[in-house]
Amino acid sequence: MSAVRRMFVLLCGYEILPMTVSLRGANPRFIVSVPICTYLLDTTEGWVLLDAGLDEHHLRDPSQIEKYFAPGAWHPPPVVKPEHEMGAQLAAIGIGFEDISTLVLSHLHADHSGHIKRMPQARVVIQKVEYDYAFSDAEKIAYFTEDYDLPSIDWQIIDGDTPILPGIEAIFTPGHTPGHQSLVVDLPRTGKVILTADVGDWIENFTKEILPGSATNDDEALASIRRINALWANTGAEMFLTHDPVLVQKIRLAPEFYD
Ligand SMILES: [Zn+2]
């Protein structure tokens, strides 16, 4: 029996990126804006969140923009309008960051880890390999250590496929980053859904098996795309992508929900 009652999709802003960041081999002259989505689950065991978006405070302060976005490929910086802010969207549902009991992180890129610091009460579920990588001295792209290297965080480190709650399973999908994970969720009416996170930004990553532009291991990234594809084919589950600019326009966004 699934503990999950409802799923809300929060559209938390946009990133302006070369298409090659999402689709390996695309024309580098194409620039697209891709959404940043997070997923809020209403369960009998409390509120569960998949991913923590980008912290808009990094975009409100010119020195932070200079530090994080000006030097690299992440320029122009992402767009988080007031209506994209996670706090406002949670408030529209009637809750706040303080009500989240479990935060599952697909990985620790800055567009997935921004608001962890606002949920010190939550258990924060992460794959061991991702945790070790994020805290290592390795040269990392798009990891903002000040967003996650904090003593207030109650880490729950898991290793491989792991049930989170009845009806919520973490599946290990490395490649985009060393310890990336996705979620499979059972909803009462909608049925099974796959929250892919960054295994593939666009649906074409899956339908055409196109590697993401950014991967720490291409073989693992392809294996994870194929694993999701097999799950999709075998279960008939609905796919929810974090960064697909077209699909996001076709789904229900919070405060509407899936039940
Ligand atoms: Zn990522």
Side-chain angles (χ1 to χ4, degrees):
M1 180 75 181
S2 177
V4 186
R5 295 187 284 228
R6 295 181 294 171
M7 177 177 81
F8 298 85
V9 183
L10 277 55
L11 171 55
C12 299
Y14 277 86
E15 299 173 62
I16 303 157
L17 298 169
M19 198 189 267
T20 50
V21 170
S22 297
L23 298 170
R24 187 80 59 94
N27 186 326
R29 286 180 290 171
F30 294 151
I31 306 292
V32 288
S33 65
V34 303
I36 302 167
C37 294
T38 65
Y39 297 89
L40 176 70
L41 305 171
D42 173 18
T43 84
T44 56
E45 313 291 315
W47 291 95
V48 177
L49 188 63
L50 173 64
D51 284 339
L54 178 81
D55 187 350
E56 64 272 6
H57 295 87
H58 295 316
L59 301 167
R60 305 288 185 256
D61 174 351
S63 70
Q64 293 267 304
I65 290 177
E66 187 62 32
K67 177 178 175 188
Y68 284 121
F69 300 107
W74 219 345
H75 189 80
V79 175
V80 181
K81 299 271 193 189
E83 60 269 32
H84 294 133
E85 291 181 7
M86 280 187 80
Q89 294 191 68
L90 294 176
I93 296 163
I95 65 167
F97 285 117
E98 67 279 8
D99 295 306
I100 306 297
S101 57
T102 301
L103 169 62
V104 180
L105 296 172
S106 61
H107 62 308
L108 279 168
H109 277 164
D111 52 338
H112 297 257
S113 58
H115 292 289
I116 305 172
K117 58 179 88 69
R118 302 199 163 81
M119 296 171 261
Q121 77 290 343
R123 64 168 177 151
V124 179
V125 180
I126 189 147
Q127 289 287 331
K128 180 179 190 309
V129 186
E130 185 69 16
Y131 180 91
D132 289 346
Y133 179 71
F135 284 90
S136 75
D137 294 332
E139 197 168 317
K140 301 176 285 287
I141 297 166
Y143 285 75
F144 294 2
T145 52
E146 76 175 64
D147 280 344
Y148 62 80
D149 188 359
L150 301 165
S152 58
I153 297 174
D154 178 15
W155 296 105
Q156 186 192 346
I157 295 169
I158 60 174
D159 196 0
D161 296 355
T162 305
I164 305 297
L165 285 176
I168 306 177
E169 187 179 11
I171 58 168
F172 187 50
T173 49
H176 172 65
T177 64
H180 186 280
Q181 62 183 345
S182 308
L183 283 188
V184 180
V185 176
D186 276 310
L187 284 161
R189 279 153 54 103
T190 309
K192 231 180 241 305
V193 300
I194 307 170
L195 310 181
T196 57
D198 283 10
V199 172
D201 288 355
W202 295 52
I203 198 69
E204 286 83 352
N205 289 104
F206 298 95
T207 55
K208 299 178 182 167
E209 295 192 346
I210 300 173
L211 286 171
S214 162
T216 53
N217 184 312
D218 284 353
D219 292 339
E220 287 180 353
L222 183 60
S224 291
I225 287 170
R226 289 179 171 161
R227 180 172 187 199
I228 297 276
N229 275 340
L231 200 59
W232 190 18
N234 295 339
T235 62
E238 195 168 340
M239 298 263 276
F240 285 84
L241 276 60
T242 295
H243 298 299
D244 189 303
V246 179
L247 277 188
V248 73
Q249 299 173 39
K250 299 177 179 173
I251 60 173
R252 260 172 252 164
L253 296 175
E256 290 187 78
F257 57 82
Y258 292 85
D259 61 3

